[in-house]
Amino acid sequence: MANMQMTKTPMPEQDPNVRNHNFKEVTLGYTPEMAMEEAKRCLHCKKPLCVGGCPVNIQIPDFIAKVAEGDFAAAYEIITSTNALPALSGRVCPQETQCESKCVRGVKGEPVAIGRLERFVADWYRENVNAMPQKPESNGIKVAVVGSGPSGLTCASELAKKGYAVTIFEALHTAGGVLVYGIPEFRLPKAIVANEVEKLKAMGVEVMTNMVIGKVLSIDELFDEMGFKAVFVGSGAGLPMFMHIPGEELKGVCSANEYLTRINLMKAYKEESDTPILVSKAAAIVGGGNVAMDAARCAKRMGAEKVYIVYRRGEAEMPARLEEQHHAKEEGIEFMTLTNPVEILGGEDGRVNGMKCIKMELGEPDASGRRRPIPIEGSEFVLDVDTVIMSLGTSPNPLIRSTTPGLETNKKGGIIVDENEMSTRENVFAGGDAVTGAATVILAMGAGKKAAAAIDAKLQNK
Amino acid sequence: MYKIVRKKELNSAVTLMEIEAPFVARKAKAGQFIIFRVDDKSERVPLTIAGYDREKGTVSIIFQKVGLSTELLGSLNEGDYIQDFVGPLGKPTDVEGKKRVCVVGGGVGCAIAYPSAKAFKEAGVETDVIVGFRNKDIVILEDEFKEACDNLYLMTDDGSYGEHGFVTVKLQQLLESGRQYDEVLAIGPIPMMKFVSKTTEPFGVKTIVSLNPIMVDGTGMCGGCRVTVGGEVKFACVDGPDFDGHKVDYAELMNRNTVYREREAEVRESHKCRMQKMAEELIK
C-alpha cells in the first residue's frame, strides 16, 4: 500500500544556529525507518519519467522498491549498476531540476525524495557493508584520465569495470576535484569522497596526485611515451573571474576558489592546519551561484558576524539551488540583491574597509534570456565589510589546450567534442566543466560515463 | 612521498635540499618552480627550482628558514620524506635570442638567479652576474656562479666581502661604462627588484623580474598570486613568475604579501609546540 502523504518525509538537520558554528554535515540523512516510509510514496509508474530526468539513468523505481522492502543491499546494487558515486550525487545533485522534477507525485504535492533515498542507500552500504569492489579481469589496455573530479572519477570507474588499466592524473595533492576543494565539508564530508576513491583503487585504478598534465607530461607524451591508448580530459573549469574594479588588489579580496580551497582542501578551518585564512568581521560574497552560497556559509562558520550575498540581479534570478539559498538564510546570511559593487575601499594599511555598491533594476532580457541588470544612477552606498570574496564564475583552465596541438576549443575555452564526447584529436575524449564551462556535478558524471562508453567502443572497434 | 636525498646547510639560515622527484626532474627548466607540502597538516609553499639532475631524477631547492613551513622542511634530514612535491610550474626563463645579459641576484634570491645564469651561459649568451648579500656570512653559491658566467661581481652591503654596496651600485656603474645588455634579469627581495628596474629604466634596458607572491595551488585556479603588470591582472603561477620589471606594481605586491603576517606570527608560536611534541614522541 503506497504512502499517500503529500509531502516528503522530512530529513533531520542540525539546528541553524548550531551548525553555523561548525563544519559538520548540515543534513543528517534518513534512518532506515524514514527511508522505508518515504520509499512507499513511489507509485512505480509503468513508464517512469524520473529515470529520463537522471543524467546517468538510475533505475529509480527498482531501487526504491528494494528500499521499501528493507533490502538496502539490493537497492545499492541497482543504483551502482548505472551510477558510480551515489553518496555524492545523492547529496549534491539539483534533484529539483532533474529526476524529482519529473516525478508524478510532484504534480500534486512534493515529489518522492529520490535524492535523499539514494543518499540513504549509499550511506547505509558504506556504514554496514563497505565491501570493496572486486578487481575486474584486465584487458591490458591503458587509458589515462586527466583530472579526478566528478567526470574523471566516473569515467575511470566505468572503464575499470570493463577491464581497462586506468590511471588518473590529478594536479592537486588529493583526488576529488571540486568535491574536495570546492564543496564544503558541511555539504559533502570529505571522508565520503575518500571512500569512493578507495573503491576505485580496489578496482585497479591507479591515482597519481601532484601530476599537472600540460606541465609534467603533455597529452602527446601520454600516448607516445606512456603507452596510453586513449585519454579522457576532465580537467574542469577552475580559472576564476574577477570584476576588474578599483580596489580588487587590496588585502581581504580573494576569489571564492581561493577561499574555499584554503578551507576545504587545506583544512584552514581546523586549528592544527598550517594554512592561514582571512579572518573577517563582515564579509561580502559577490555572486549568486552555489559557490557563492558555499563561500558565504564558510565565512559565517569562520566567525564573521555579518555575511552578505551581493548579487546584481533579483533573488528569482539567482542560479544557486533553492535549498542552498534557504540553508544560507537560515544560517543568518543576508541577501543584498539588485546590488552591484563598483569599488572596493581600503585604508592606509592596504586592507579592505568597505565596498561601494550601486543599486540595480532589471531591464529587457539579454542574450542569456535573463533580464539585464541596469544601475540606478545616484544610488551608490558603502557596505561596511573587511572581506570581499569574488564568486563570479570560472572558465576552463588554458593549460591543456595550450599544450595539446590539434585540440580545438570554443571561444570560452571549452574543449569542442562531438556527441560521443570525442574531441578534435584522435582518441582524446573530454567531458564535464572542461567542455561546458562551470556546470553541475551530475552533468559531469553523466559526461564521464558517456565518454567511457565511447572510449570502449572506439578501442574495441565496436 | 618524495625522498630527501641530500641536505646541505649553505649558511646559518639557508639550506639546499635535493629531492627525488623523477617526473619533475624530467621537465624542469630554469625559472620554473615547484610547490611542496611537508606533511598532512602543512600548507603548500612555492619554491623556485635551483637545479635538477635528469638522470638521477632529482630536483634541488634552496630555501631560507623564514617561517613555519620552511622551518619544518629544514628540520628534516637526508632519507626523510615529504608528502608532496609538484612541478615544474610556471614559465621557464626565456634564454632565446640574446647576445649579452646581466643576471642580478639578491640574498637567497641568488639560489634562483643561479640556474637562470647557467641556462643563459649554456645557451651561448654572454652572461654577467651581480650578486648581493648583507654581509660575508651569508654569501652562497660563489663558486657555482663563477662557473656559470663570464664576469661575477659580488657585493656586500657592509663591505665585509667582495665590493662594498648594493647590487644597483654595480649595475649603474656597468651601464654608465657603456656596457650593453639585451636584458637584465633581477631576482631577490621586492625592493631590490624594484630598484634594479629603476636603475635600468633610463638606459632603456629590458628588465625581467621574478615575482614571489603568495600562492596556494600554483596551477591558475585561485588567483591568490595575482599581480598587476602594465595595468593588467596576471596570475604569477601561470603567466609568470617572470614579468617586465618596468611594468610591475611593486607597492601592491608588497602589500598583498603581508596579508597573513599576523596569522603567520601566531602560527609560528603554536607551531613550536608541534615541533616540541614531535621531538618528545621521537624520544619516546
Side-chain angles (χ1 to χ4, degrees):
Chain A
M1 188 52 208
N3 167 0
M4 292 313 290
Q5 182 98 21
M6 298 297 274
T7 54
K8 290 179 183 177
T9 308
M11 178 160 61
E13 291 181 349
Q14 277 195 73
D15 181 83
N17 286 316
V18 174
R19 72 183 193 232
N20 66 9
H21 297 290
N22 69 50
F23 276 81
K24 287 186 215 143
E25 196 168 16
V26 166
T27 53
L28 303 172
Y30 279 161
T31 61
E33 294 72 29
M34 290 172 191
M36 288 166 74
E37 193 189 327
E38 178 63 20
K40 287 178 185 142
R41 291 186 65 231
C42 175
L43 299 178
H44 300 281
C45 307
K46 280 227 173 73
K47 286 183 182 163
L49 298 173
C50 53
V51 177
C54 170
V56 293
N57 302 121
I58 297 174
Q59 297 308 304
I60 292 166
D62 295 353
F63 99 75
I64 289 182
K66 292 296 174 191
V67 175
E69 288 168 22
D71 189 351
F72 307 135
Y76 182 82
E77 296 303 327
I78 294 168
I79 296 173
T80 50
S81 68
T82 56
N83 175 21
L85 310 164
L88 313 179
S89 50
R91 282 176 167 81
V92 300
C93 262
Q95 289 98 3
E96 66 275 17
T97 62
Q98 295 174 335
C99 55
E100 293 181 16
S101 75
K102 308 277 199 249
C103 175
V104 290
R105 291 298 306 264
V107 177
K108 280 184 188 174
E110 289 184 346
V112 175
I114 301 166
R116 292 176 185 179
L117 289 172
E118 181 189 18
R119 168 188 164 162
F120 165 78
V121 170
D123 288 355
W124 178 89
Y125 187 86
R126 189 179 62 256
E127 284 155 20
N128 294 280
V129 184
N130 203 27
M132 284 291 145
Q134 292 284 315
K135 189 174 169 179
E137 200 178 321
S138 172
N139 65 14
I141 303 172
K142 287 172 73 178
V143 178
V145 171
V146 178
S148 65
S151 73
L153 292 179
T154 307
C155 186
S157 164
E158 295 290 324
L159 288 168
K161 267 193 234 166
K162 297 182 205 299
Y164 288 90
V166 181
T167 304
I168 299 181
F169 295 95
E170 167 56 46
L172 291 172
H173 57 258
T174 308
V178 74
L179 306 169
V180 295
Y181 77 75
I183 302 172
E185 180 81 15
F186 56 79
R187 281 216 291 136
L188 178 62
K190 300 306 151 224
I192 292 174
V193 184
N195 184 267
E196 297 297 353
V197 174
E198 284 313 308
K199 281 190 201 152
L200 279 185
K201 288 183 181 166
M203 288 165 74
V205 174
E206 193 182 355
V207 180
M208 294 184 76
T209 52
N210 294 330
M211 294 293 276
V212 186
I213 299 303
K215 282 286 177 193
V216 67
L217 286 170
S218 67
I219 300 275
D220 287 337
E221 287 168 325
L222 290 177
F223 284 111
D224 302 340
E225 290 176 29
M226 309 282 286
F228 290 100
K229 299 294 175 212
V231 176
F232 173 75
V233 180
S235 50
L239 194 73
M241 293 191 248
F242 286 91
M243 290 189 83
H244 305 292
I245 56 173
E248 221 169 6
E249 72 292 349
L250 289 163
K251 286 190 283 189
V253 184
C254 69
S255 71
N257 260 14
E258 178 181 355
Y259 192 71
L260 291 171
T261 299
R262 284 176 181 274
I263 290 177
N264 301 323
L265 178 70
M266 305 311 298
K267 311 255 174 277
Y269 67 91
K270 288 186 178 172
E271 191 70 25
E272 76 249 27
S273 168
D274 291 346
T275 300
I277 182 82
L278 292 169
V279 179
S280 323
K281 280 209 178 78
I285 289 80
V286 183
N290 288 318
V291 176
M293 299 301 142
D294 285 344
R297 296 170 72 194
C298 282
K300 190 79 188 177
R301 284 163 173 77
M302 293 307 297
E305 289 155 27
K306 288 273 185 189
V307 180
Y308 305 98
I309 290 276
V310 177
Y311 182 56
R312 63 195 182 129
R313 289 187 164 96
E315 207 167 305
E317 284 79 24
M318 272 197 179
R321 287 184 70 187
L322 270 180
E323 187 187 336
E324 301 309 325
Q325 295 183 37
H326 174 71
H327 277 146
K329 280 186 188 167
E330 277 184 340
E331 289 167 14
I333 312 295
E334 293 173 48
F335 282 41
M336 304 195 72
T337 50
L338 291 169
T339 304
N340 207 28
V342 289
E343 183 181 357
I344 301 164
L345 309 169
E348 273 178 16
D349 58 358
R351 277 180 196 274
V352 174
N353 65 10
M355 183 165 81
K356 195 198 251 181
C357 302
I358 192 162
K359 288 277 179 198
M360 312 289 276
E361 59 188 352
L362 291 180
E364 293 300 307
D366 62 12
S368 74
R370 292 187 301 176
R371 293 177 66 193
R372 199 162 58 90
I374 302 163
I376 303 172
E377 224 174 287
S379 67
E380 288 94 343
F381 67 100
V382 172
L383 192 62
D384 182 18
V385 291
D386 57 14
T387 303
V388 177
I389 299 168
M390 292 295 177
S391 180
L392 310 160
T394 53
S395 57
N397 192 305
L399 201 49
I400 287 179
R401 69 170 184 260
S402 64
T403 55
T404 310
L407 188 71
E408 282 174 35
T409 52
N410 61 29
K411 63 175 189 289
K412 286 186 170 170
I415 297 170
I416 295 172
V417 294
D418 67 9
E419 67 282 0
N420 290 320
E421 311 287 339
M422 187 152 103
S423 77
T424 51
R425 270 289 301 268
E426 177 89 16
N427 288 350
V428 176
F429 297 73
D433 288 3
V435 167
T436 58
T440 63
V441 167
I442 189 67
L443 286 175
M445 287 167 56
K449 187 176 163 133
K450 204 165 151 196
I455 289 170
D456 183 44
K458 182 80 198 299
L459 296 183
Q460 308 282 358
N461 281 321
K462 281 180 193 162
Chain B
M1 299 288 268
Y2 301 80
K3 191 178 181 182
I4 301 167
V5 294
R6 188 162 79 99
K7 179 185 181 183
K8 188 182 168 197
E9 306 282 353
L10 298 185
N11 65 40
S12 58
V14 178
T15 310
L16 177 146
M17 272 182 185
E18 210 176 310
I19 311 279
E20 205 169 75
F23 277 108
V24 189
R26 263 180 95 230
K27 281 290 178 69
K29 284 190 173 156
Q32 290 187 299
F33 65 95
I34 56 91
I35 283 185
F36 76 87
R37 199 170 73 115
V38 177
D39 63 32
D40 244 6
K41 298 181 178 70
S42 300
E43 57 184 335
R44 294 169 68 95
V45 181
L47 276 180
T48 305
I49 292 166
Y52 46 83
D53 187 326
R54 300 211 203 281
E55 271 168 28
K56 269 168 72 189
T58 60
V59 173
S60 303
I61 46 174
I62 294 178
F63 58 95
Q64 188 165 12
K65 285 171 254 176
V66 288
L68 173 64
S69 298
T70 42
E71 271 167 29
L72 191 61
L73 181 62
S75 72
L76 299 178
N77 292 307
E78 286 179 5
D80 290 344
Y81 288 81
I82 57 173
Q83 185 97 25
D84 298 296
F85 192 84
V86 53
L89 302 169
K91 290 183 178 160
T93 302
D94 181 13
V95 297
E96 297 299 318
K98 284 148 194 134
K99 285 203 185 72
R100 183 169 208 164
V101 299
C102 182
V103 177
V104 186
V108 73
C110 291
I112 311 165
Y114 168 66
S116 294
K118 198 171 150 201
F120 277 121
K121 182 88 175 125
E122 280 169 3
V125 183
E126 206 171 320
T127 308
D128 288 354
V129 169
I130 309 172
V131 288
F133 302 93
R134 268 200 320 281
N135 59 50
K136 185 178 187 230
D137 300 336
I138 62 164
V139 171
I140 55 169
L141 301 174
E142 188 182 353
D143 293 336
E144 285 85 347
F145 271 115
K146 275 185 189 153
E147 292 285 312
C149 70
D150 296 287
N151 301 296
L152 176 67
Y153 307 94
L154 197 153
M155 315 292 291
T156 49
D157 298 359
D158 63 358
S160 55
Y161 192 65
E163 290 182 64
H164 189 187
F166 294 141
V167 288
T168 43
V169 171
K170 178 52 73 184
L171 182 61
Q172 179 90 23
Q173 276 174 16
L174 292 171
L175 290 169
E176 276 173 359
S177 75
R179 197 163 301 178
Q180 299 289 323
Y181 293 118
D182 298 313
E183 180 180 302
V184 169
L185 173 67
I187 303 163
I190 300 167
M192 172 260 185
M193 293 192 283
K194 178 179 158 185
F195 284 112
V196 166
S197 300
K198 278 208 166 149
T199 307
T200 57
E201 205 160 19
F203 295 90
V205 178
K206 182 182 166 194
T207 302
I208 301 292
V209 293
S210 177
L211 301 186
N212 56 347
I214 294 175
M215 288 187 190
V216 185
D217 61 290
T219 62
M221 62 167 259
C222 86
C225 66
R226 65 193 190 277
V227 290
T228 306
V229 182
E232 275 182 63
V233 177
K234 299 278 182 191
F235 290 4
C237 70
V238 287
D239 300 321
D242 290 359
F243 291 101
D244 184 338
H246 296 139
K247 292 184 178 165
V248 169
D249 186 335
Y250 295 99
E252 178 193 304
L253 174 61
M254 281 218 260
N255 179 45
R256 286 180 54 83
N257 273 1
T258 63
V259 58
Y260 295 112
R261 191 176 274 171
E262 286 152 34
R263 160 77 184 163
E264 277 164 1
E266 234 173 74
V267 169
R268 212 177 334 174
E269 280 308 303
S270 66
H271 167 68
K272 277 182 191 150
C273 314
R274 187 169 136 203
M275 299 273 281
Q276 191 93 40
K277 242 184 257 166
M278 274 168 62
E280 280 164 14
E281 272 164 28
L282 281 177
I283 293 164
K284 270 184 219 164

